[in-house]
Amino acid sequence: MALLDWMTDATGPVVEGQGVLLRPPRTGDYAAWSESREQSRHYLEPWEPSWPDDDLTRAAYRRRLGVYAREMELGHAWPFFVFDPSGRTLYGAITLSNVRRGVAETGTLGYWIGQPFAGQGLATAAVRTMTRFAFQSARLHRLEASCLPTNLASRRVLEKAGFVKEGEARAYLKINGVWADHILFGLVCDDPVV
């Protein structure tokens, strides 16, 4: 079944980084993904949009993969799972989304790491790896990211990856059912990256 999944799933780039491997999600990743999300639910929910009731079902996962495939095909987003270098252990996910071309050449980063792997530098490694992909392969000029003011871990990830605080946005995103202020970060391809 895993071979069949690999052959029928949307393909995309595989990007290696310092201690992480990024690749698009596949059908065969469902069990590891749903287990990681369920195991980390209470850890992740304060920082994410509300989860639909069926969020961790196989049907919802298949729908998610369909959306991902269309977004990659159109060049609007690159959703990746974050794995260990062998590609066997799922750490979390990172997405380059809202890609705008033309005069902007910009995209937005979002990411999560499962609770068992938090605090090990894996989110920073994934953000750095995705940044390299965005600037070199996707040829973007600018990346944006945001986090809740109380999410000190995420703020530190962005700062360690070279992002610069650019401001604050009131009621920016609806997080865990509530419109929440966010700190806005940016990184330009010419910026020195730490």
Side-chain angles (χ1 to χ4, degrees), residues 168-185:
E168 298 175 10
R170 294 180 305 121
Y172 186 62
L173 296 172
K174 196 171 191 178
I175 300 297
N176 203 17
V178 178
W179 287 105
D181 298 348
H182 279 66
I183 300 172
L184 306 177
F185 291 85

Side-chain angles (χ1 to χ4, degrees), residues 30 33-34 53-63:
Y30 169 72
W33 172 84
S34 63
D53 290 339
D54 73 339
D55 194 51
L56 300 182
T57 66
R58 189 174 294 277
Y61 183 77
R62 279 195 303 268
R63 287 192 303 271

Side-chain angles (χ1 to χ4, degrees), residues 1-2 5-6 9 23-39 41 53-65 68 81 83 88 90 112:
M1 184 67 168
D5 288 344
W6 178 81
D9 282 336
R23 72 156 169 78
R26 299 177 181 155
T27 305
D29 297 326
Y30 169 72
W33 172 84
S34 63
E35 181 181 326
S36 178
R37 296 286 290 173
E38 183 59 48
Q39 182 180 40
R41 179 186 291 266
D53 290 339
D54 73 339
D55 194 51
L56 300 182
T57 66
R58 189 174 294 277
Y61 183 77
R62 279 195 303 268
R63 287 192 303 271
R64 184 184 305 262
L65 292 185
Y68 290 166
F81 278 177
F83 288 93
R88 292 189 184 106
L90 176 66
W112 65 270

Side-chain angles (χ1 to χ4, degrees), residues 49-158:
S50 296
W51 295 15
D53 290 339
D54 73 339
D55 194 51
L56 300 182
T57 66
R58 189 174 294 277
Y61 183 77
R62 279 195 303 268
R63 287 192 303 271
R64 184 184 305 262
L65 292 185
V67 170
Y68 290 166
R70 284 189 298 282
E71 288 180 337
M72 284 191 294
E73 184 178 326
L74 295 170
H76 294 169
W78 283 274
F80 292 134
F81 278 177
V82 180
F83 288 93
D84 75 300
S86 73
R88 292 189 184 106
T89 302
L90 176 66
Y91 293 146
I94 187 165
T95 302
L96 171 60
S97 63
N98 301 318
V99 173
R100 297 170 310 280
R101 294 295 183 177
V103 298
E105 297 297 333
T106 300
T108 303
L109 282 187
Y111 50 89
W112 65 270
I113 295 293
Q115 187 172 13
F117 306 108
Q120 299 178 29
L122 299 169
T124 301
V127 169
R128 286 179 174 153
T129 303
M130 181 63 99
T131 296
R132 190 181 79 240
F133 170 80
F135 291 151
Q136 294 176 3
S137 300
R139 303 223 180 264
L140 294 179
H141 174 72
R142 175 181 166 76
L143 294 177
E144 299 169 346
S146 66
C147 66
L148 292 166
T150 55
N151 192 342
L152 301 179
S154 191
R155 181 177 184 161
R156 188 69 187 122
V157 163
L158 293 170

